[in-house]
Amino acid sequence: SIVINLSKVTFLNSFALTVFLEMHKMLQKQGGKLVIAYPSAEVSKLLEITRLNTVLEVYETEREAMDVI
């Protein structure tokens, strides 16, 4: 399982979103998961628009994210 801290990220392009999705699929096949922590307001909005927030686990803090892996 992997936690990605996005607290300093204000923009993600389509390539980054694709990488997250592919990582999620790969980890899921191995019994793990990709978890997002500290998304900025801009990134949170993007995750909502693309509906990736329904596929990936997203948490407000790194501690919350670490607790689920």
Side-chain angles (χ1 to χ4, degrees):
S1 293
I2 298 173
V3 173
I4 299 180
N5 182 325
L6 296 178
S7 60
K8 304 283 186 198
V9 177
T10 58
F11 175 79
L12 293 173
N13 62 19
S14 61
F15 180 76
L17 296 174
T18 300
V19 169
F20 286 172
L21 191 55
E22 291 301 318
M23 286 176 62
H24 167 73
K25 289 178 186 177
M26 180 188 69
L27 290 166
Q28 198 172 39
K29 285 180 185 176
Q30 298 173 358
K33 59 175 101 176
L34 177 67
V35 182
I36 304 296
Y38 280 123
S40 65
E42 296 89 353
V43 171
S44 289
K45 183 74 169 171
L46 181 62
L47 293 172
E48 289 175 24
I49 290 169
T50 60
R51 299 187 48 86
L52 279 178
N53 64 327
T54 65
V55 176
L56 304 175
E57 293 185 40
V58 181
Y59 295 92
E60 293 297 316
T61 69
E62 196 169 325
R63 175 78 288 165
E64 289 175 317
M66 295 295 289
D67 286 345
V68 299
I69 62 168

